[in-house]
Amino acid sequence: MVETSRDGARLAPGTIAGAATSNAATLSCDPSKRFQQITGFGGALTESSAYVLKQLPEAQRLEVLKRYYDPREGIGYTLARTHIGSCDFSLSTWSLAPSPGDYELLDFSLKPMQRWLMPLLRDAHRIAGADRFKLLASPWSPPAWMKTNNQMDRGGSLREEYAATWANHYVKFLRAMRDEEKIPLWGLTVQNEPEANQSWESCIYTPEQERDFVRKHLGPTLAREGFGGIKLYGFDHNRDTLEKRADAMLGDAETAKYMAGMAVHWYVSDDYAAEARVLKKYPGKEVLFTEGCVEGGAKPGDWMVGERYARNMFGDLNAGVCGWIDWNIALDMRGGPNHVGNFCDAPVLVDTKGGKVLYQSSFHAIAHFSRYVKPGAHRIELSGGPKGLQSCAFANPDGSIAVIAFNPGDAAIDFNLDIVGEKHGCRIPAHAIQTYLA
């Protein structure tokens, strides 16, 4: 058993309390009843994260990446998300296709990514291992000249006359990453947060517009150019309107055939059941969690940040989500840099002046899942248990079982844990997360 708690434990090894007791509720695990397969866990490799980590001495920078991605020393990350073009967590606004009217994308180039972002992607890919690393990419906006408002920020929409060109832009990116950088992409989302008109890079699609872009342009283009095997996820936004977007996209057979499923963020809504409803309605499709962070700037040492992560991970995974990707892997002590002042917290904060690295409660909360639930694991049935305890369980490909429990309350909880008929008495302190291994 390993434990992280508000009172100071951080992935601390421990022992199960003792023999089962008759007066405690039993949490029962049944590995024969299996649910979704787990793709993995990871975080976002943004230009801001790349910049912040580059302010550290190289050995210290690589240590952070190893703590995340190294299969032996790290916490089990295999997934990563990055941005096609700039996002709010970039140092400035930039595009990979800057020339207006460039229908053939003759001026497309990865050059804007080379100084900060690409070294981070290369190192994460190398440290994780090419066979384990799965990179997902999302655009925050097409180039300004392709949009109705002629700017990358403040919403606007894709001009219909540029829809084919924009679809080709994804292919250009995929091909350049594979052939020039030797980092093949695992997946794409169509558009980051298509319902948000932001002061930073953004682009609005109605459900029908996103459906039609995939059906008429992006899906056929990926298939024609040899990228039909790329995992394509729609929506990439909050749970509150997930079902409406899924009905438009997955409910249309010509669109759905190109799609792996839908991607979700945690802002606005905690309606995890919406994910379960979509998965039930569209069997064979996936829901992937692709972004969550605590907004309002860096919160060094704040235990409740970790609890928010835990609550969301239990909610999403128990609803059927197949993988979980955090937002920025590292930010500075302000929660940036962010070129529009949209500062946020991150699991790793870097004191760029003092050269110190702070591993936050959120880092350890994620680790209780990512280190012990391996890619290819299946969520398994977990029933019963005491009131106030959140829990989930997984069977790994090697046959091992991981049971994760979370007590957000102010008093310790005693319970029995029954794994395949072997029952143990357990105690979880107040405000603590535990992972039990069998």
Side-chain angles (χ1 to χ4, degrees), residues 278-301:
V278 165
L279 289 165
K280 183 177 181 180
K281 191 171 184 178
Y282 301 104
K285 298 301 183 183
E286 300 171 340
V287 174
L288 175 69
F289 184 89
T290 49
E291 185 185 317
C293 73
V294 174
E295 299 168 288
K299 295 171 174 56

Side-chain angles (χ1 to χ4, degrees), residues 41 310 313-314 317 365-373 392 394 404:
F41 300 86
M313 295 184 80
F314 280 103
L317 291 163
I366 295 170
H368 273 271
F369 297 84
S370 62
R371 177 177 281 181
Y372 306 106
V373 180
C392 57
F394 302 86
I404 304 119

Side-chain angles (χ1 to χ4, degrees), residues 108 110 118 125 135 170-186 222 225-230:
F108 177 93
L110 295 180
M118 203 61 73
H125 178 256
L135 180 61
Y170 295 77
V171 169
K172 285 272 192 179
F173 180 79
L174 291 167
R175 188 171 288 132
M177 288 293 293
R178 181 193 67 192
D179 297 345
E180 298 172 20
E181 296 296 334
K182 313 303 180 188
I183 305 175
L185 269 289
W186 168 81
L222 291 172
E225 297 297 328
F227 291 103
I230 294 289

Side-chain angles (χ1 to χ4, degrees), residues 99-114:
S99 301
D102 183 13
Y103 280 92
E104 301 302 317
L105 299 173
L106 299 176
D107 291 339
F108 177 93
S109 172
L110 295 180
K111 186 177 179 180
M113 301 173 65
Q114 293 298 342

Side-chain angles (χ1 to χ4, degrees), residues 311-364:
R311 185 177 71 250
N312 275 268
M313 295 184 80
F314 280 103
D316 287 323
L317 291 163
N318 280 327
V321 161
C322 68
W324 214 90
I325 306 176
D326 182 35
W327 192 206
N328 300 278
I329 63 165
L331 293 173
D332 64 22
M333 298 304 293
R334 192 178 182 187
N338 184 293
H339 71 91
V340 291
N342 182 36
F343 301 114
C344 297
D345 196 39
V348 170
L349 296 176
V350 176
D351 178 352
T352 55
K353 294 180 179 178
K356 295 181 180 179
V357 176
L358 288 76
Y359 291 89
Q360 298 284 86
S361 59
S362 48
F363 178 90
H364 298 96

Side-chain angles (χ1 to χ4, degrees), residues 255-273:
T255 304
K257 70 182 183 182
Y258 297 115
M259 300 188 64
M262 309 300 281
V264 293
H265 299 178
W266 80 15
Y267 315 105
V268 178
S269 171
D270 287 343
D271 184 10
Y272 311 108

Side-chain angles (χ1 to χ4, degrees), residues 48-278:
S48 292
S49 290
Y51 174 83
V52 165
L53 290 173
K54 269 292 190 181
Q55 309 312 301
L56 292 170
E58 185 63 6
Q60 203 172 6
R61 170 184 171 273
L62 290 175
E63 175 63 23
V64 173
L65 293 180
K66 288 177 182 178
R67 289 281 298 270
Y68 274 123
Y69 283 99
D70 188 282
R72 292 166 298 278
E73 301 175 29
I75 63 168
Y77 271 20
T78 56
L79 294 178
R81 181 176 181 235
T82 198
H83 41 98
I84 304 174
S86 59
C87 68
D88 52 325
F89 281 92
S90 297
L91 304 186
S92 62
T93 300
W94 47 266
S95 155
L96 303 178
S99 301
D102 183 13
Y103 280 92
E104 301 302 317
L105 299 173
L106 299 176
D107 291 339
F108 177 93
S109 172
L110 295 180
K111 186 177 179 180
M113 301 173 65
Q114 293 298 342
R115 183 176 183 187
W116 302 113
L117 189 51
M118 203 61 73
L120 178 61
L121 296 175
R122 292 186 196 115
D123 285 337
H125 178 256
R126 175 180 55 80
I127 291 168
D131 59 331
R132 298 174 70 253
F133 188 69
K134 291 181 171 66
L135 180 61
L136 176 82
S138 307
W140 265 242
S141 173
W145 54 273
M146 294 188 191
K147 293 177 64 186
T148 56
N149 64 348
N150 294 305
Q151 57 193 71
M152 288 181 66
D153 54 7
R154 302 189 182 279
S157 299
L158 176 66
R159 291 180 182 271
E160 181 59 33
E161 62 265 34
Y162 291 119
T165 302
W166 181 227
N168 284 327
H169 188 286
Y170 295 77
V171 169
K172 285 272 192 179
F173 180 79
L174 291 167
R175 188 171 288 132
M177 288 293 293
R178 181 193 67 192
D179 297 345
E180 298 172 20
E181 296 296 334
K182 313 303 180 188
I183 305 175
L185 269 289
W186 168 81
L188 293 168
T189 67
V190 181
Q191 166 65 42
N192 177 71
E193 299 191 344
E195 296 182 350
N197 181 342
Q198 306 283 26
S199 61
W200 54 87
E201 295 85 340
S202 46
C203 184
I204 303 297
Y205 290 82
T206 66
E208 294 72 26
Q209 285 172 330
E210 189 176 4
R211 175 199 67 198
D212 292 349
F213 176 62
V214 171
R215 182 175 61 189
K216 296 177 182 178
H217 300 287
L218 183 56
T221 299
L222 291 172
R224 183 180 65 248
E225 297 297 328
F227 291 103
I230 294 289
K231 292 262 195 176
L232 180 63
Y233 296 92
F235 191 46
D236 209 8
H237 209 164
N238 299 328
R239 304 181 188 101
D240 58 328
T241 53
L242 169 64
E243 291 169 278
K244 181 178 180 181
R245 188 75 50 154
D247 286 343
M249 302 186 75
L250 302 183
D252 180 81
E254 283 301 303
T255 304
K257 70 182 183 182
Y258 297 115
M259 300 188 64
M262 309 300 281
V264 293
H265 299 178
W266 80 15
Y267 315 105
V268 178
S269 171
D270 287 343
D271 184 10
Y272 311 108
E275 300 160 342
R277 291 191 295 267
V278 165

